[in-house]
Amino acid sequence: MGNTDYASLKKGGFMRQKQKNHFSLRLRVVGGQVSAGQLAKITEVAEKYGHGYIHLTSRQGIEIPFIKLEQIEEVKAALAEGDVSPGVCGPRVRTITACQGSEICPNGCIDSEKLAVELDERYFGRELPHKFKFGITACQNNCLKAEENDLGIKGGLYVEWIEDNCIHCGLCAKVCRKDAIKIVDDRIKVDYKKCNYCGRCALSCPTEAYAAKEGYIVSFGGIFGNQINKGEPIIPFIDDHDKLLAVCDAAIQFFDEHADPGERFKFTIDRVGRDKLESVVKKAYEEA
């Protein structure tokens, strides 16, 4: 037992407990979605190899405490039978969190669950100088608190008034929380400097009098731990999926190239210069 490779175990989701030769196993969960079959297998493993309970983490994760060192391989094999795999810890891309999004929630502007799966396939477990967290929320209600993440993605809608469909009920102006919609001489005026792309006007319109294009508000450098910083956008609104991926690629590559070991993205940005990150992100956006 003295030659145990704890670093490799942690990389594979097994975190050391205070109790000697015991580990809390973090499982791989994408966007908060776990099937009923997976839950059944997790329950079975927790009862057989743990202490009969699981822990739900603050980032939509599931952990099984009290896994014995000598049973780790047995536990991994048992979980695999139920299509459950360990997560990751340490300096790499972590679990990608997401709300239920537009497929379930009436306020959702994007399919955040689908995007979480895509980004998980693209980045999950990538080795980096320090941990890197994604959070995806589908609308301005911000249930997943996107700006707390190293890279946060918030769904939004860019709206344009369709005069021929409008019955001038005024509902859009009433539901707008940013006072961005005015009715002037029976015409709708949208002040895009005030608009936060929440889409409440389009989603509440009874006659589909708004053309709405979904998109993304991406923030960089969020952190909520020993130090707190709200991530901020560089590009106000990204309305193209490929451009979103290019921006995410550029941000992670910037972190990989410039971060010191053990340095979070926010502090890399501060040290290297936000202007440098902005230049890289804007170039990726324009060239995608």
Side-chain angles (χ1 to χ4, degrees):
M1 301 297 179
N3 295 323
T4 302
D5 187 348
Y6 291 108
S8 293
L9 286 172
K10 184 175 181 179
K11 179 179 178 179
F14 289 88
M15 299 173 293
R16 293 175 71 178
Q17 294 183 197
K18 293 176 66 176
Q19 295 80 8
K20 186 177 180 180
N21 292 332
H22 284 78
F23 297 81
S24 187
L25 169 56
R26 180 172 294 168
L27 302 177
R28 185 174 182 178
V29 177
V30 182
Q33 298 289 331
V34 183
S35 72
Q38 288 174 316
L39 282 175
K41 177 56 70 173
I42 293 167
T43 298
E44 178 186 314
V45 169
E47 290 176 341
K48 183 174 181 179
Y49 297 100
H51 279 190
Y53 72 95
I54 58 98
H55 172 70
L56 300 177
T57 77
S58 61
R59 286 185 56 79
Q60 300 183 323
I62 295 176
E63 293 176 7
I64 306 175
F66 290 99
I67 301 298
K68 295 181 177 66
L69 176 60
E70 63 270 20
Q71 293 181 318
I72 282 177
E73 293 305 319
E74 193 176 341
V75 165
K76 288 164 66 174
L79 289 169
E81 294 173 359
D83 195 28
V84 180
S85 57
V88 297
C89 303
R92 49 197 58 89
V93 176
R94 300 292 189 84
T95 295
I96 295 175
T97 60
C99 65
Q100 295 198 83
S102 58
E103 292 300 293
I104 299 292
C105 178
N107 296 314
C109 299
I110 61 170
D111 188 344
S112 48
E113 168 61 19
K114 180 180 178 181
L115 181 58
V117 171
E118 181 178 15
L119 296 184
D120 176 83
E121 293 173 350
R122 195 176 185 92
Y123 302 121
F124 179 76
R126 174 173 169 174
E127 300 290 325
L128 291 169
H130 202 4
K131 59 187 172 184
F132 195 96
K133 298 178 180 180
F134 282 87
I136 308 171
T137 198
C139 72
Q140 285 288 347
N141 288 338
N142 206 8
C143 296
L144 257 291
K145 303 176 179 62
E147 293 88 352
E148 291 184 1
N149 294 270
D150 297 284
L151 195 153
I153 300 172
K154 188 183 296 180
L157 297 177
Y158 184 89
V159 299
E160 292 183 344
W161 181 52
I162 304 173
E163 184 174 5
D164 289 345
N165 291 356
C166 185
I167 58 174
H168 308 285
C169 65
L171 181 59
C172 57
K174 292 177 182 177
V175 301
C176 179
R177 293 173 173 173
K178 305 300 288 187
D179 195 32
I181 297 178
K182 299 290 186 184
I183 303 174
V184 181
D185 296 329
D186 253 1
R187 293 183 61 82
I188 299 294
K189 302 289 184 182
V190 180
D191 184 344
Y192 290 101
K193 292 181 179 179
K194 292 182 177 180
C195 179
N196 68 348
Y197 311 105
C198 71
R200 287 170 60 85
C201 53
L203 294 171
S204 64
C205 180
T207 61
E208 299 183 351
Y210 282 93
K213 185 173 185 180
E214 72 176 41
Y216 318 91
I217 302 162
V218 182
S219 56
F220 305 86
I223 184 171
F224 245 70
N226 291 315
Q227 299 193 56
I228 295 175
N229 183 69
K230 178 185 174 183
E232 296 292 343
I234 292 174
I235 298 163
F237 189 77
I238 299 173
D239 66 1
D240 181 272
H241 181 263
D242 290 341
K243 287 183 179 292
L244 170 69
L245 296 182
V247 163
C248 292
D249 286 347
I252 284 190
Q253 190 60 34
F254 181 91
F255 181 56
D256 200 4
E257 291 178 0
H258 295 287
D260 292 333
E263 180 179 64
R264 288 295 293 274
F265 190 31
K266 180 262 192 294
F267 303 114
T268 302
I269 296 170
D270 290 347
R271 179 174 53 79
V272 177
R274 186 173 175 86
D275 59 322
K276 301 287 197 309
L277 175 65
E278 289 181 354
S279 177
V280 167
V281 168
K282 288 176 180 178
K283 181 179 179 183
Y285 174 80
E286 291 164 1
E287 294 181 354

